[in-house]
Amino acid sequence: MINIQAALPKEQFEQLLLYLRSSSWLVLFRDFVCFIVVCRYLRVIEHYLITYGVSGSIHRLYRAVAGDFVASTMQLPLVRGAVQKQVDKALDEIDSKFVHRNGLPIHHEIPEKAINPKEISHIMKTLDTIKRSDWENGRLSGAVYHGGHDLLELQTKVYGQYTVANQLHPDCFPAVRHMDAEVVSMVLDLYNGPQGSCGTSTSGGTESLLLTCLAAREKAKAERGVTEPEIIAPVTIHAGFDKAAYYFGMKLIHAPVDKKTGKVSLKAVEKLIGPNTVLLAGSAPNFPHGIIDDIEGLSKIALKHRLPLHVDACLGSFIVPFLRDLGVDAPLFDFRVPGVTSISCDTHKYGFAPKGSSVIMYRTAELCHYQYFVSVDWSGGLYASPTLAGSRPGALMAGCWATLLYMGKDGYRETARAIVSSAQKLKTALRTHPVLAETLSVIGDPLGSVVAFQSKKVNVYDLSDTMSKKGWHLATLQNPASVHLAATRLTIESIDELIADLVASVETLISSGSETVKDGTKALYGVAGSVQTAGIAKALATGFVDALYKT
Ligand SMILES: *Cc1c(COP(=O)(O)O)cnc(C)c1O
């Protein structure tokens, strides 16, 4: 308790007493509410100042106000017409890129007469002629995590055996239940899960992240009565966290990363912690720049404030656990770090399992239980399910299980070695090749499979477009404008070619006088919009999703 009488000068204390005695309850209550509201706003302002600094806060305020101004300006009929024209044109481009109608058999409704399997194969062959990214030859960042043709054959066979299997009915499919449990156990072992640790399989990294946020929310609600839950995570954390916040009514507070190392600023994280914080998170590594956050540092903060700490190793999956075996001086990131309470690992990325599988792991069963859904009153009977889905594809789980056994730790270690050394070859080239080192700079010091770079000399989006013309699909990133390559098994063979094409592209851009990216340009598949067209970016992204379902 603060001793107010001792803290205030005598005169002021008497004034305070007078105010308290002479005011009615109503006035006192009004002033109290006012005080609370002011405190709240002050806290928000404090958060912004701490997180983004004075100039950063002013910049964000400006952008927010400018964004609002643009949004309301865009509602004016004249402006709306002009903007809409621009949006429509871009949407047409997106449609024509994705929706192919020429010469393709289209089914708007179920065919009245059944089509025989031979004809179906024929239709599939026709569909396979649609122009697409050349992923087989490794000219693509990430996306396809191919484990080799022999593995593909095995997966298809296993899948065929369990096509009807559903994990919702372990009594019908005990073999799949067994495989599922073994997969979680094997991945827990890989991440040094201690005695009592547990987890579940999920449909992918995003579901794993959704569940970890849900569990943290429910834990804080049950134990601390938190009703306005907040997550603190680096700006580089995967968008799955934004999705979780959106779905589960939580607030995601982004902590900045250190400009030089690309790792989350521990100071900022600690300062952002408040009474509503329910979860801290870091990546091992993050998607944009392939940087592993200082998990041990985050762990200390988490333990001090008694908060759960999630490590997103969705991308690190079957690469980061092997880094030390490969002689890389990698930091600790798994359950050996005492404050880490949950980890997500995608079996369908560098684990090479069929798409649609990931594992979410918890240090304790108690935490894991918060992600379960149980209904004891449903007229359909007692209902309990571990993840978001009800029915779950047992075939995918069987495919994942067979993959882990087929690869073995030695198989994963050797593929990790080849993948990491090809990414590191790119990193070295970017730092030492006279043309590349002069124009591009690697973000932080990535240790694994992903290497991102930016430029103060050329427009990296133009560079990405120039590379596209040579058949390469690199990932474009924003804040800061940059580009990355996530090396996969498929890119191993083509890394030298990629470096050579990168050099040629940079030379072309320099000779044509490319400028750097304008502040606020959105990374949108070659469609560049500035901060003034913030509303357009959203319309285009929505149009992109619409285009997925056009026949
Ligand atoms: C891919 C990825 C995810 C999400 O995975 P999905 O399987 O696409 O849902 C989460 N975090 C990181 C770091 C990732 O790279």
Side-chain angles (χ1 to χ4, degrees):
M1 271 308 268
I2 307 168
N3 185 345
I4 297 179
Q5 189 165 8
L8 288 177
K10 193 164 178 285
E11 207 171 304
Q12 283 182 17
F13 182 69
E14 275 166 8
Q15 274 178 5
L16 180 69
L17 280 182
L18 190 69
Y19 158 75
L20 289 173
R21 278 199 205 113
S22 61
S23 309
S24 72
W25 279 110
L26 206 65
V27 168
L28 283 178
F29 181 69
R30 185 200 62 192
D31 290 356
F32 176 71
V33 170
C34 194
F35 176 73
I36 296 289
V37 170
V38 168
C39 278
R40 244 187 117 120
Y41 278 108
L42 283 176
R43 227 189 103 213
V44 172
I45 294 170
E46 186 196 8
H47 269 182
Y48 270 85
L49 289 176
I50 287 165
T51 319
Y52 307 106
V54 178
S55 67
S57 299
I58 293 172
H59 187 69
R60 288 179 80 87
L61 183 68
Y62 163 74
R63 277 176 57 164
V65 173
D68 278 352
F69 176 70
V70 170
S72 44
T73 318
M74 272 174 36
Q75 295 307 316
L76 299 173
L78 221 112
V79 182
R80 201 161 71 190
V83 170
Q84 196 58 45
K85 234 185 230 162
Q86 204 187 334
V87 170
D88 288 346
K89 186 168 163 275
L91 287 181
D92 281 348
E93 269 172 42
I94 291 174
D95 277 7
S96 65
K97 212 167 174 178
F98 288 109
V99 191
H100 302 262
R101 297 188 179 88
N102 294 349
L104 290 179
I106 297 176
H107 304 93
H108 287 296
E109 52 186 69
I110 299 170
E112 191 54 46
K113 273 190 78 166
I115 300 178
N116 67 46
K118 217 169 138 199
E119 180 63 12
I120 292 175
S121 297
H122 179 73
I123 298 174
M124 282 170 61
K125 271 209 188 96
T126 322
L127 295 179
D128 268 341
T129 60
I130 300 175
K131 193 172 172 294
R132 57 172 171 82
S133 307
D134 175 18
W135 55 262
E136 280 106 329
N137 293 313
R139 293 178 155 253
L140 176 72
S141 171
V144 182
Y145 296 87
H146 205 295
H149 288 285
D150 291 347
L151 175 59
L152 228 53
E153 217 165 275
L154 172 70
Q155 287 169 343
T156 314
K157 200 167 142 232
V158 173
Y159 194 101
Q161 246 170 291
Y162 292 98
T163 316
V164 296
N166 183 352
Q167 282 132 291
L168 193 61
H169 302 293
D171 47 342
C172 300
F173 307 103
V176 173
R177 189 215 66 81
H178 182 88
M179 293 171 187
D180 196 356
E182 283 194 354
V183 164
V184 173
S185 167
M186 285 189 270
V187 178
L188 271 167
D189 169 67
L190 195 60
Y191 279 80
N192 294 293
Q195 192 76 31
S197 58
C198 57
T200 70
S201 60
T202 69
S203 65
T206 301
E207 188 181 352
S208 294
L209 299 183
L210 291 176
L211 288 168
T212 206
C213 291
L214 177 70
R217 186 189 80 169
E218 291 305 295
K219 178 181 160 71
K221 188 159 91 183
E223 296 175 5
R224 291 159 43 204
V226 176
T227 53
E228 292 181 51
E230 296 173 358
I231 306 160
I232 300 171
V235 284
T236 46
I237 203 87
H238 192 270
F241 273 88
D242 292 86
K243 204 174 190 179
Y246 176 62
Y247 282 1
F248 300 141
M250 304 172 82
K251 186 170 166 193
L252 174 59
I253 300 177
H254 279 140
V257 295
D258 181 272
K259 276 215 172 73
K260 195 155 162 280
T261 64
K263 296 178 189 192
V264 68
S265 155
L266 296 178
K267 246 196 198 146
V269 169
E270 182 144 30
K271 285 186 175 162
L272 287 170
I273 293 174
N276 288 329
T277 308
V278 302
L279 179 67
L280 304 183
S283 313
N286 62 43
F287 171 82
H289 312 137
I291 300 296
I292 304 175
D293 285 312
D294 180 357
I295 302 300
E296 287 178 287
L298 285 172
S299 161
K300 287 200 187 104
I301 298 174
L303 289 172
K304 182 172 149 200
H305 295 268
R306 308 183 49 159
L307 287 166
L309 168 62
H310 180 79
V311 174
D312 180 4
C314 285
L315 184 61
S317 68
F318 288 61
I319 297 273
V320 272
F322 295 106
L323 283 180
R324 286 192 171 185
D325 288 359
L326 306 182
V328 178
D329 186 18
L332 281 182
F333 57 88
D334 61 17
F335 285 116
R336 283 172 292 180
V337 183
V340 172
T341 52
S342 60
I343 303 178
S344 50
C345 162
D346 283 1
T347 34
H348 72 189
K349 280 189 180 150
Y350 294 104
F352 311 121
K355 268 288 179 234
S357 84
S358 169
V359 173
I360 174 73
M361 299 170 265
Y362 294 96
R363 183 177 286 278
T364 63
E366 178 235 342
L367 191 51
C368 186
H369 289 169
Y370 283 113
Q371 82 163 44
Y372 292 179
F373 175 76
V374 178
S375 168
V376 290
D377 300 322
W378 183 40
S379 44
L382 203 67
Y383 184 95
S385 133
T387 60
L388 294 181
S391 289
R392 295 200 289 157
L396 283 186
M397 191 31 66
C400 176
W401 173 84
T403 305
L404 297 192
L405 298 191
Y406 172 88
M407 290 296 297
K409 277 187 184 159
D410 57 350
Y412 282 124
R413 196 176 292 114
E414 288 321 303
T415 36
R417 190 188 304 281
I419 290 168
V420 170
S421 57
S422 70
Q424 297 301 306
K425 201 168 182 180
L426 172 63
K427 178 171 95 177
T428 308
L430 286 163
R431 285 176 176 171
T432 57
H433 188 286
V435 172
L436 300 181
E438 181 69 13
T439 28
L440 307 175
S441 55
V442 177
I443 297 180
D445 184 27
L447 301 176
S449 58
V450 178
V451 176
F453 52 91
Q454 55 187 342
S455 177
K456 286 207 170 87
K457 301 244 165 79
V458 297
N459 182 325
V460 281
Y461 297 152
D462 286 347
L463 178 59
S464 169
D465 285 346
T466 313
M467 287 296 280
S468 294
K469 289 192 189 111
K470 294 182 193 288
W472 296 97
H473 287 264
L474 301 173
T476 45
L477 317 160
Q478 52 188 353
N479 311 324
S482 45
V483 171
H484 88 202
L485 172 82
T488 66
R489 252 180 111 260
L490 294 170
T491 54
I492 295 169
E493 298 297 327
S494 52
I495 198 73
D496 290 324
E497 216 184 319
L498 177 121
I499 293 168
D501 280 347
L502 207 52
V503 172
S505 300
V506 166
E507 283 174 335
T508 311
L509 282 182
I510 289 177
S511 64
S512 70
S514 165
E515 285 175 9
T516 52
V517 180
K518 282 203 187 75
D519 186 29
T521 304
K522 301 265 174 219
L524 254 182
Y525 291 109
V527 189
S530 66
V531 67
Q532 280 77 18
T533 55
I536 293 181
K538 201 164 177 192
L540 290 188
T542 307
F544 166 82
V545 179
D546 283 343
L548 299 177
Y549 286 93
K550 284 186 182 156
T551 51

